Amino acid sequence: MDLPTWTRGQRWVSDGEPELGLGIIKSSDDGRVEIGFPAAGETRIYATDTAPLRRVKFLTGDRIKIHSGAEMTVTRIREEAGLLIYETDRGDVTEADLSDSISFSKPEERLFGGKLDDFKDFDLRGEALQRRAEMRRSPVRGLAGARMDLIPHQLFIADEVANRPQPRVLLADQVGLGKTIEACLILHRLILTGRAERVLILVPEPLIHQWFVELLRRFQLSFSLFDEERCEAIEYRRSRVQSIS
């Protein structure tokens, strides 16, 4: 979007920080613009070509507020030397006369102030939400997406177990048929669907790092290792805290 000439005294609002209230241009040169936000006691410097700012322009019929707190209705708008002049039922009001505390942080304030986003952004967000809803309803949620090639019998077992109200099973396949992958698939689905929040995995010491790496590399599940040495350290620190208190 092409921005008009930056003129000292113009009023702008930050799209990223609308709670700052109305900003007023203090200076502009060398591709930068300095804007003060009196209501928040803040000053920001932006690059003119990428500034997340939007010009504050009220429309005919809008209610505006000035520094004294008085409110009036805009009847006509004109522009002089790059600044907007609002003609109201109580006289002319320049941009500089507008109240600094006017905020567009709430949805209704942005709507009534004409601060509307591009319709394409709305459509994109709607499509993203729709796709996320479809993903959450997918029957293979938690079973697909891992960094691995699914084998039919592994997928069947994981789906069968994960869909049980209380998945309590013993996986007893022969060596090499993927019991670790099956267990990880079941765990991954339970976590993604919110049926499991905290997980404790007990494995023989020689398999600790194998499980840790498989869960992280293939399923992006990060676990903490609690071996005997770490547990003893935790107990020691806990006893020290209790003795000090």
Side-chain angles (χ1 to χ4, degrees):
M1 179 179 64
D2 295 332
L3 295 176
T5 303
W6 302 89
T7 303
R8 182 182 177 89
Q10 285 180 345
R11 289 292 196 163
W12 295 75
V13 64
S14 171
D15 286 336
E17 300 175 289
E19 66 277 2
L20 293 177
L22 294 192
I24 185 168
I25 294 182
K26 302 172 68 175
S27 64
S28 175
D29 56 9
D30 297 330
R32 299 188 305 173
V33 59
E34 180 181 1
I35 296 186
F37 296 91
E42 299 283 349
T43 299
R44 299 284 191 271
I45 298 177
Y46 304 95
T48 55
D49 56 344
T50 58
L53 301 169
R54 191 172 306 194
R55 182 79 183 277
V56 175
K57 293 183 179 180
F58 290 97
L59 305 177
T60 301
D62 287 345
R63 297 283 293 177
I64 60 176
K65 181 188 296 186
I66 60 176
H67 292 296
S68 65
E71 294 187 4
M72 49 204 68
T73 302
V74 177
T75 58
R76 188 171 177 271
I77 306 168
R78 69 179 190 272
E79 184 173 343
E80 296 180 2
L83 298 179
L84 297 176
I85 308 296
Y86 297 102
E87 299 180 10
T88 74
D89 49 354
R90 299 186 184 182
D92 290 352
V93 175
T94 66
E95 291 188 62
D97 295 328
L98 294 174
S99 174
D100 302 318
S101 61
I102 295 177
S103 173
F104 300 99
S105 57
K106 296 181 180 179
E108 62 271 20
E109 293 172 344
R110 293 178 61 83
L111 178 62
F112 295 145
K115 305 302 175 290
L116 305 178
D117 295 328
D118 194 308
F119 293 139
K120 294 181 179 179
D121 296 336
F122 178 83
D123 293 338
L124 179 60
R125 178 173 175 81
E127 182 180 354
L129 292 174
Q130 181 179 358
R131 290 183 180 273
R132 186 174 68 175
E134 293 173 352
M135 180 189 67
R136 290 183 172 180
R137 293 194 301 266
S138 173
V140 296
R141 185 185 180 196
L143 302 178
R147 293 187 177 96
M148 53 174 288
D149 293 328
L150 290 175
I151 301 176
H153 82 271
Q154 293 176 338
L155 185 60
F156 171 78
I157 293 174
D159 180 64
E160 176 69 21
V161 175
N163 287 329
R164 293 185 179 184
Q166 295 181 338
R168 297 171 180 170
V169 298
L170 173 64
L171 302 178
D173 287 335
Q174 297 179 5
V175 176
L177 291 184
K179 294 185 295 298
T180 300
I181 293 299
E182 292 170 359
C184 291
L185 282 171
I186 297 169
L187 178 61
H188 191 230
R189 181 174 176 83
L190 293 178
I191 291 176
L192 287 185
T193 56
R195 297 177 59 195
E197 296 181 359
R198 301 177 62 188
V199 178
L200 174 64
I201 301 177
L202 302 176
V203 297
E205 186 173 357
L207 299 180
I208 289 179
H209 292 285
Q210 174 188 337
W211 270 77
F212 182 83
V213 171
E214 290 290 303
L215 286 166
L216 181 61
R217 183 168 65 92
R218 297 185 184 277
F219 297 92
Q220 286 297 303
L221 295 177
S222 180
F223 280 75
S224 299
L225 300 179
F226 289 86
D227 53 14
E228 185 175 0
E229 182 179 355
R230 183 171 184 179
C231 291
E232 289 178 351
I234 293 174
E235 288 295 332
Y236 175 76
R237 288 197 297 269
R238 182 179 300 172
S239 62
R240 290 282 295 176
V241 172
Q242 292 176 349
S243 62
I244 293 175
S245 59

